[in-house]
Amino acid sequence: MLDRMTTTYAVLSEAVEKRYGDVHALRGLDLAIPEGTVCGLLGPNGAGKTTAVRVLTTLVPPDAGGARVAGHDVVAEPAAVRRAIGVTGQATSVDDDLSGRENLRLFARLLRLRGPAGRKRADEMLARFGLAGAADRPARTYSGGMRRRLDLAASLLARPRVLFLDEPTTGLDPASREQIWAAVREMAAAGTTVLLTTQYLEEADRLADSVVVVDHGRAAVTGTPDELKRRVGAYAEVVVAEEAALAAAAVVLGPLTGGEPRLDAERRAVGAAAFDPGLTLPRMVRELDAAGVPVVDASLRSPTLDEVFLRLTGADGTAEGAPGTGAPDMEEEAA
């Protein structure tokens, strides 16, 4: 099965299992990421995302199942996989005592880009990531965003076919995050396949062609961001004039939306997931008015990816997929 699909998919895994003692980190993980796309790997803490990345980047072998990256088997051909990939982990890999230019030239030599070719490529990447002006400063003087961009530049020196980004913007300010996002878009446009693990749902919404929600070490849900939003449904909310009207609003909203109304007494609001594709805001307001519900405000909007994530992982108590707590990731297992 793996062999006949590798011409289409840059990353392919089937039934991958990984245990650390009594901890079952991956429980049959299936992934199929087409070449030249960005895939967002989402899931609650401990779902198995980082373990999945470590298996796919040959850092740890799977206990069962199979995986190929850039057409190469991660167990039988680890060297070929490593030559085809770039990796940016949760912690930056730059040397604080070296300048940005020295860091990239060192990485270039490790990647066998030696001499003038390596120096030229390092300078190209410094310019591409907006670091040319700080190229000769020690990396310890860089801001968090600059260090992250330097780390990305190092990952791209050898023009990898597949790039793994594990929580690439954690802790960055909004401006630095936007810079990283712009770089990821540029990579994808140039044909690099990107697998992105992230806790920022907005990040996946804005960057990913496809999203895989991982829970309990399995791919619980897969689809484009828009497909997952449609699966959860739109969200209807009504703000009423007085708290006493909340129950009446809920009675109207439930049948209209097909969802379970939730009451927020502090805001005097009732909200529900709307699964009826024919529901419109005017119809909702008319029904509430006919029932004598004093409406102050009403809205009908698409769900955010955060709401999708919470629903599909069960973090809001209404899971459509797997429950909300998964197996610990590698960092927790090794602790």
Side-chain angles (χ1 to χ4, degrees), residues 59-83:
L59 293 177
V60 296
D63 297 330
R68 285 184 177 269
V69 176
H72 303 290
D73 188 286
V74 298
V75 174
E77 306 170 275
V81 171
R82 292 168 194 156
R83 285 193 296 269

Side-chain angles (χ1 to χ4, degrees), residues 158-301:
R159 297 181 176 87
R161 292 175 56 188
V162 183
L163 179 64
F164 292 88
L165 300 178
D166 195 8
E167 308 283 357
T169 62
T170 298
L172 297 186
D173 60 79
S176 297
R177 195 172 301 145
E178 285 284 356
Q179 290 175 324
I180 299 298
W181 290 350
V184 173
R185 292 189 193 98
E186 186 180 341
M187 296 173 220
T192 299
T193 303
V194 180
L195 190 149
L196 167 77
T197 72
T198 180
Q199 292 294 338
Y200 295 110
L201 282 300
E202 181 189 3
E203 189 162 73
D205 204 5
R206 292 178 60 174
L207 295 178
D209 299 296
S210 63
V211 171
V212 178
V213 179
V214 178
D215 205 13
H216 278 80
R218 300 185 182 93
V221 186
T222 301
T224 68
D226 285 343
E227 285 170 348
L228 298 191
K229 289 176 185 178
R230 286 196 295 272
R231 175 168 177 168
V232 169
Y235 192 77
E237 186 175 75
V238 177
V239 178
V240 297
E242 53 194 34
E243 188 176 338
L246 285 172
V251 168
V252 174
L253 212 57
L256 270 178
T257 62
E260 183 66 30
R262 296 188 175 195
L263 280 61
D264 184 338
E266 184 176 348
R267 294 177 52 238
R268 301 196 308 276
V270 181
F275 297 100
D276 180 359
L279 180 62
T280 64
L281 185 59
R283 177 186 166 199
M284 190 169 78
V285 172
R286 285 197 303 270
E287 295 284 346
L288 289 162
D289 185 57
V293 178
V295 176
V296 173
D297 191 22
S299 63
L300 182 63
R301 59 172 174 78

